[in-house]
Amino acid sequence: MPPTSADHTAFAARALGRVRAHSPLVQNPGDLPRIREAGAAGAAVVSGICAAEDPGAAARAYADAWSRPPAPSRAKTLA
């Protein structure tokens, strides 16, 4: 079974505990709070915005997600 976006996010979140200068590529705005919580200074988003029906709305969704704290149950899975 190929890895999912959630698999990549979990890996990136763990790796960022050691490498904080890395900017992971994300495909889902919901992944951003966990990535930020893990210590990322930023994240790369390409197709999530460029391929969206409304790129402006997609960009706003990613920006809003970056400023949102992770859900408590998700934050516990980083350890």
Side-chain angles (χ1 to χ4, degrees):
M1 183 176 229
T4 65
S5 178
D7 295 331
H8 293 292
T9 299
F11 172 79
R14 286 191 307 273
L16 281 170
R18 291 166 282 178
V19 183
R20 300 212 185 265
H22 180 70
S23 292
L25 180 63
V26 296
Q27 295 180 336
N28 180 334
D31 296 338
L32 289 174
R34 287 180 57 202
I35 296 298
R36 194 193 74 225
E37 172 95 354
V45 179
V46 180
S47 63
I49 294 174
C50 294
E53 188 173 313
D54 182 347
R60 284 187 295 280
Y62 280 97
D64 290 346
W66 181 259
S67 59
R68 202 174 321 135
S73 62
R74 296 184 98 189
K76 291 178 186 175
T77 64
L78 292 175

